[in-house]
Amino acid sequence: MSVAVPDGRTAGAIDDSIEADVAAGAGDPSVPIGDAGSEAARVVVSVPRVDDAPETQGIGWPHRHLLDLDVVTWPEIELVMRTTDAMKEVLARPIPKVPALRGRAVTILFYEASTRTRVSFEVAAKNLSADVVNIAAATSSVTKGESLIDTVRTVEALGADLLVIRHGTSGAPYLAAQHFGGGVLNGGDGWHAHPTQALLDLYTMRARLPGGSLAGRKVVILGDVMHSRVARSNIWALTAAGADLWLCGPSTLLRGFEAWAKAGATAGRTFTVTSDVADALRDADVVMALRIQQERMEGGLLPSLREYAARYGLTRARLANAKPDALVMHPGPMNEGVEIAPDVATMDRSVITDQVSNGVAVRMALLYLMAGVRTGAAKSGASVAFGPAGRNEAPA
Amino acid sequence: MIEIESTTGQLVAELDISRAWLVDPASGREGPGEIVVRDGILEAVTWLDGDEADEARADGVDGTGIVVAPGFIDLHAHFREPGNENAETIATGVAAAAHGGFTTVCLMPNTTPALDEPSVLARVRAAVAATGSPIRVEAYGAVTAGRNGDTLAALGELADAGVVGFSDDGSPVRSASILRNALAYAGSLGLPIVDHPEDSTQTAGAEANDGLVATVLGLRGWPAAAEASAVARDLEILAEVVRDVPGARLHLTHLSTAASIDLVRRAKAAGLPVTCDVTPHHLALTDEWIAGARRWAWEALDDEGDGPGRARNPWHDGATVAAPYDTSLRVNPPLRSAPDAAACLDGLLDGTVDAIATDHAPHSVVDKEVEFGLAANGISGIETALGLVLAAVDAGRLPLGTAIAAFTSGPARLLGTEPGLRQGAPADLVVFDRSSSWTVEPGLLHSRGTNSPVLGRDLVGTVLLTIASGRIAHEDT
């Protein structure tokens, strides 16, 4: 079993190696999933000792920033999953807290309203004993016209090591990353990406599906795909995991995705796009409903919420097309009675609350892994070194 | 071999360029030769013939080194004065133009206030005169008062004051009814309407060409149909107006899609008085640059097999080498797909496209160093235009003569001028070296706008000398 982790990334941490069977699931282990498209691989990842500070171990996590999943390799995703297992174990303790990030400062900068994601990051950082500063853009000098770059520089000057950012404009975290000396974690940008959500979705599915693998599993993302950063990040993650991914919704809310499906997310790994909800749900293993927003009616994308609910809402009747034990998911917040019926959201096989609790563990894992990346070299104001394929690697 | 006596801004006392490659689109001639300028007058243009020409070619004077051509004409530039002098001034704009090899520049009227009546033109002219530069600066008047789209600007007064046409650029002429009247009224004045074709109902909030890159990056799509449908509308109206007003003329600026080029091709074949231009960035760059790719448009084209070809997928072939969402790539119309860029090149090759115009649109960092979705549209491109076009020439996608014609005789047709390497006339020419390249750095740009997507890149074709009205406008030092 070869370890397909690049040189120098395993030293010192292997007291708990786990051979992860991702046969027929993962892409080429050495290539970012956005570039790659090769066959199954078995990978070995070393799980860090999460009670200890990350910089004391050689952890195979090279990314100074996590902006989207297209630049992450499969073993790195596997590392996140295993580290999340370790965090779950921490969360099960009587005192669910480790001192690993003591003295490290995490700033959570949100330009959009959010409850679960913001609180999830805050709880995750506190469970790691980090110091947490929350900035809601509405109450900061952003309302006085301060630019994103100035805000990010200010946050850095105030001592932040890690910056979690949510922004309504696609790509904003990339701009932040170019002006921040530490690591940037994308908490959701516009329509573009929500990598921590995709990772917690992946974790939740693996935890609940028999066999713990997505390979060949039919996963349906149902709803407003066009405006969804959750859908986009899940396309990278789920196609790399070997899932049979379907995107379903009214054709107005799938704009552009047919072309993406034809091109393939990663070479040789495509997905299916359809407006036929019965076709999409047939024999599905997982159904994830996406939020439909009222403001989408304005541009003529939908006749009405009532019509959407009638034609695409996830009801018990519709769910009957899926496999009997199919998982029901939703990234939240839900419009019950629109994209998902209240009784479906609370069914036994609904894992919506698992998604929320796993979200804390996944974000603990990511904060932990990113805190282990040395960023000192860039503190002098140097911009991000985007290497080949736009990879956001730590400076040498 | 260049020998010169004079200093920048002054009359060229004596200039002798031998062993150069001369390109003269006016006469359709191109080949090895020599020019002599004395006291600002192009005194001699000597074309080598027969054995001499063969010898010179064999000796490397074959168009890959020093090139002498008539001064370039830019049909579309924004110098931002009056109103936004943080982005550009007339003085910095003309210096940038000269650095780019341009001796004539036509300014768009979307200043603040808009150039919609003669006093604003007088202000622009005073600023031009104050620069002391020999660069010829022309201006378009606005089509509608205040560019508000509702009522006609002072077209007749502006024509008397000397504008070269009318445009609401930055915006289309939204109302088809106003466009119809403007074409007729301007046509009777002998001037063209220069339209920026865009159906803005399809582009509200749009950020990037509607395609794979926009979908993957979560950017609001800017459909090709938003341009082509406006082009189709304009052409239908022109066809009717020209029956009553034979002088009516339409120029479509910065076409960017295969469909628009094709519509103009058919309109020209039907005899309509329409001309058009494309920009260097729509020829050489594509939307995949926003995803972090940095290859030329023709390198992003998969044209094996039949048909117009398809865009390569930058995520599949490891082409994404830079950070995504570079706001210097945000422009209106947006950078399009590789097949669209190829169609723009094809339009130049078959004469559908008359000119290459820069749409030089400098912006201050305040308007560009922001989130992609909040950034101003525009590329500062007058100094990099030649380099981008020569990249296509070097790649074998465009003959040098066609490229030079698109910078000179093509745009001159719209202005009714006749550029050429003519003996006895005041010298108006550009000398550049195709064998030399320069690295685009902010410090080397004369424009205040450093919003260039090719910053840090090496471009071929260093401009050695720009001479306008017999005087030196730019000299490489």
Side-chain angles (χ1 to χ4, degrees):
Chain A
M1 274 328 94
S2 65
V3 181
V5 184
D7 292 345
R9 285 166 46 185
T10 54
I14 313 179
D15 64 340
D16 191 16
S17 296
I18 292 177
E19 192 177 292
D21 184 0
V22 290
D28 181 332
S30 63
V31 183
I33 60 179
D35 287 351
S38 74
E39 284 318 303
R42 292 168 73 85
V43 295
V44 176
V45 296
S46 356
V47 182
R49 297 178 301 265
V50 300
D51 288 77
D52 301 337
E55 64 271 22
T56 62
Q57 313 170 45
I59 299 173
W61 181 262
H63 299 286
R64 179 176 150 197
H65 309 294
L66 183 65
L67 305 177
D68 195 7
L69 298 180
D70 58 339
V71 297
V72 176
T73 66
W74 187 258
E76 287 157 8
I77 289 184
E78 207 54 67
L79 175 62
V80 174
M81 298 291 115
R82 299 301 175 177
T83 307
T84 302
D85 288 338
M87 295 303 177
K88 292 282 282 186
E89 185 273 315
V90 169
L91 291 173
R93 295 177 190 174
I95 300 172
K97 206 165 169 122
V98 288
L101 264 59
R102 204 162 45 195
R104 308 296 282 270
V106 176
T107 293
I108 301 174
L109 174 63
F110 270 40
Y111 285 82
E112 273 188 344
S114 161
T115 308
R116 78 194 62 211
T117 305
R118 189 185 57 72
V119 172
S120 179
F121 271 113
E122 183 171 350
V123 169
K126 286 179 172 167
N127 288 347
L128 296 169
S129 305
D131 298 320
V132 183
V133 174
N134 258 299
I135 304 174
T139 60
S140 75
S141 47
V142 170
T143 53
K144 300 175 191 166
E146 186 175 70
S147 74
L148 176 62
I149 294 173
D150 287 341
T151 301
V152 164
R153 285 186 183 139
T154 303
V155 164
E156 183 180 347
L158 291 170
D161 298 302
L162 290 171
L163 174 65
V164 180
I165 182 169
R166 165 166 294 189
H167 199 289
T169 304
S170 296
Y174 292 79
L175 181 67
Q178 287 168 62
H179 296 273
F180 185 67
V184 174
L185 222 176
N186 185 359
D189 63 321
W191 304 353
H192 170 241
H194 197 350
T196 61
Q197 178 74 39
L199 290 168
L200 76 87
D201 290 339
L202 183 65
Y203 186 88
T204 303
M205 288 181 229
R206 284 165 48 127
R208 292 293 290 259
L209 287 171
S213 166
L214 269 290
R217 297 290 190 172
K218 184 173 182 180
V219 179
V220 184
I221 298 179
L222 174 65
D224 183 359
V225 173
M226 175 184 174
H227 301 96
S228 176
R229 51 193 172 217
V230 176
R232 282 179 179 79
S233 284
N234 264 307
I235 285 173
W236 296 121
L238 294 172
T239 55
D244 174 22
L245 176 62
W246 289 57
L247 306 179
C248 179
S251 50
T252 47
L253 298 178
L254 291 170
R255 179 168 158 184
F257 283 80
E258 183 61 43
W260 191 357
K262 279 209 182 90
T266 60
R269 290 187 185 283
T270 187
F271 50 92
T272 307
V273 177
T274 181
S275 289
D276 184 335
V277 68
D279 215 18
L281 291 183
R282 189 168 301 119
D283 299 323
D285 294 284
V286 180
V287 184
M288 183 191 300
L290 298 175
R291 175 176 161 78
I292 293 288
Q293 286 164 288
Q294 181 67 43
E295 55 265 34
R296 303 300 175 225
M297 310 309 123
E298 288 162 13
L301 292 168
L302 287 176
S304 68
L305 287 182
R306 180 174 51 79
E307 183 162 324
Y308 180 84
R311 299 177 75 85
Y312 290 96
L314 189 58
T315 58
R316 274 182 189 272
R318 260 195 195 108
L319 197 56
N321 286 316
K323 284 190 182 155
D325 51 353
L327 304 179
V328 171
M329 304 179 73
H330 194 299
M334 287 186 283
N335 292 313
E336 290 182 82
V338 183
E339 72 266 8
I340 189 165
D343 58 335
V344 172
T346 53
M347 286 171 89
D348 282 351
R349 48 183 153 136
S350 164
V351 294
I352 294 170
T353 51
D354 289 25
Q355 287 175 275
V356 177
S357 54
N358 289 337
V360 173
V362 163
R363 290 175 178 121
M364 286 170 73
L366 288 166
L367 289 169
Y368 182 90
L369 293 171
M370 288 175 64
V373 177
R374 294 186 169 279
T375 57
K379 280 276 188 184
S380 56
S383 61
V384 187
F386 281 91
R391 256 150 262 170
N392 42 29
E393 280 158 7
Chain B
M1 233 52 80
I2 303 175
E3 291 167 30
I4 188 164
E5 283 175 33
S6 115
T7 53
T8 299
Q10 295 187 338
L11 212 60
V12 177
E14 177 126 20
L15 168 68
D16 190 334
I17 304 179
S18 59
R19 299 175 49 74
W21 186 262
L22 312 185
V23 183
D24 186 22
S27 62
R29 202 163 175 190
E30 145 171 42
E34 177 177 352
I35 61 156
V36 177
V37 178
R38 190 157 290 130
D39 298 327
I41 304 297
L42 185 53
E43 201 171 78
V45 179
T46 312
W47 298 87
L48 299 184
D49 290 317
D51 291 349
E52 277 186 325
D54 294 341
E55 270 173 40
R57 279 198 183 87
D59 209 19
V61 185
D62 56 1
T64 60
I66 303 280
V67 176
V68 179
F72 297 162
I73 300 168
D74 191 358
L75 288 179
H76 189 146
H78 303 268
F79 284 177
R80 306 301 188 201
E81 185 178 346
N84 190 4
E85 289 81 358
N86 288 329
E88 192 80 291
T89 64
I90 299 233
T92 55
V94 295
H99 181 219
F102 292 88
T103 56
T104 301
V105 181
C106 303
L107 300 184
M108 283 296 169
N110 63 335
T111 46
T112 310
L115 201 161
D116 61 357
E117 46 92 19
S119 75
V120 187
L121 179 61
R123 201 168 150 186
V124 167
R125 285 196 168 139
V128 172
T131 67
S133 167
I135 298 295
R136 193 153 70 112
V137 177
E138 302 286 4
Y140 299 105
V143 176
T144 60
R147 298 176 56 252
N148 63 9
D150 298 330
T151 55
L152 288 183
L155 302 191
E157 291 173 27
L158 285 163
D160 291 345
V163 297
V164 292
F166 302 100
S167 181
D168 272 358
D169 182 69
S171 316
V173 180
R174 284 198 187 84
S175 155
S177 159
I178 291 278
L179 178 74
R180 174 185 295 267
N181 291 332
L183 278 168
Y185 202 98
S188 64
L189 298 168
L191 290 174
I193 296 295
V194 178
D195 197 27
H196 157 132
E198 176 186 350
D199 170 8
S200 24
T201 66
Q202 297 180 58
T203 60
E207 294 166 297
N209 180 49
D210 200 21
L212 180 68
V213 169
T215 303
V216 174
L217 294 183
L219 295 173
R220 290 164 172 78
W222 194 316
E227 178 175 297
S229 57
V231 168
R233 178 200 78 162
D234 287 9
L235 292 172
E236 289 297 324
I237 292 169
L238 176 67
E240 288 191 3
V241 170
V242 78
R243 281 181 219 146
D244 297 334
V245 186
R249 282 190 292 152
L250 172 68
H251 180 82
L252 295 163
T253 191
H254 55 50
L255 293 187
S256 65
T257 71
S260 318
I261 301 281
D262 204 43
L263 286 166
V264 172
R265 181 175 290 125
R266 283 187 271 156
K268 283 189 162 185
L272 284 186
V274 60
T275 50
C276 69
D277 66 65
V278 298
T279 73
H281 47 271
H282 289 108
L283 290 170
L285 313 181
T286 62
D287 58 353
E288 68 167 20
W289 278 53
I290 302 170
R294 289 294 180 271
R295 58 189 170 188
W296 298 118
W298 42 92
E299 296 165 349
L301 184 70
D302 176 1
D303 55 1
E304 286 163 23
D306 297 333
R310 333 176 316 154
R312 295 185 192 279
N313 184 326
W315 284 277
H316 286 194
D317 43 8
T320 54
V321 295
Y325 301 102
D326 179 351
T327 58
S328 71
L329 296 160
R330 188 158 188 207
V331 63
N332 176 359
L335 298 178
R336 301 286 187 183
S337 70
D340 285 316
C344 291
L345 269 174
D346 287 344
L348 277 172
L349 294 173
D350 73 5
T352 302
V353 175
D354 301 87
I356 296 172
T358 68
D359 192 5
H360 175 66
H363 285 291
S364 71
V365 293
V366 174
D367 292 322
K368 278 293 196 182
E369 287 195 356
V370 295
E371 299 85 326
F372 193 87
L374 304 179
N377 284 311
I379 288 175
S380 178
I382 206 165
E383 293 169 87
T384 56
L386 176 63
L388 263 56
V389 171
L390 286 178
V393 174
D394 280 356
R397 299 276 170 169
L398 186 66
L400 179 65
T402 309
I404 299 297
F407 276 127
T408 56
S409 54
R413 280 197 295 276
L414 189 79
L415 302 179
T417 58
E418 291 179 358
L421 297 176
R422 266 192 309 279
Q423 251 166 241
D428 184 294
L429 51 86
V430 56
V431 183
F432 60 90
D433 185 357
R434 281 187 65 196
S435 66
S436 148
S437 64
W438 63 293
T439 307
V440 184
E441 287 163 9
L444 294 180
L445 296 177
H446 294 70
S447 172
R448 283 196 179 167
T450 54
N451 49 304
S452 165
V454 290
L455 277 189
R457 253 184 117 90
D458 289 343
L459 295 183
V460 294
T462 307
V463 173
L464 303 177
L465 202 53
T466 307
I467 298 175
S469 304
R471 293 160 63 202
I472 293 187
H474 172 80
E475 190 176 1
D476 187 51
T477 47

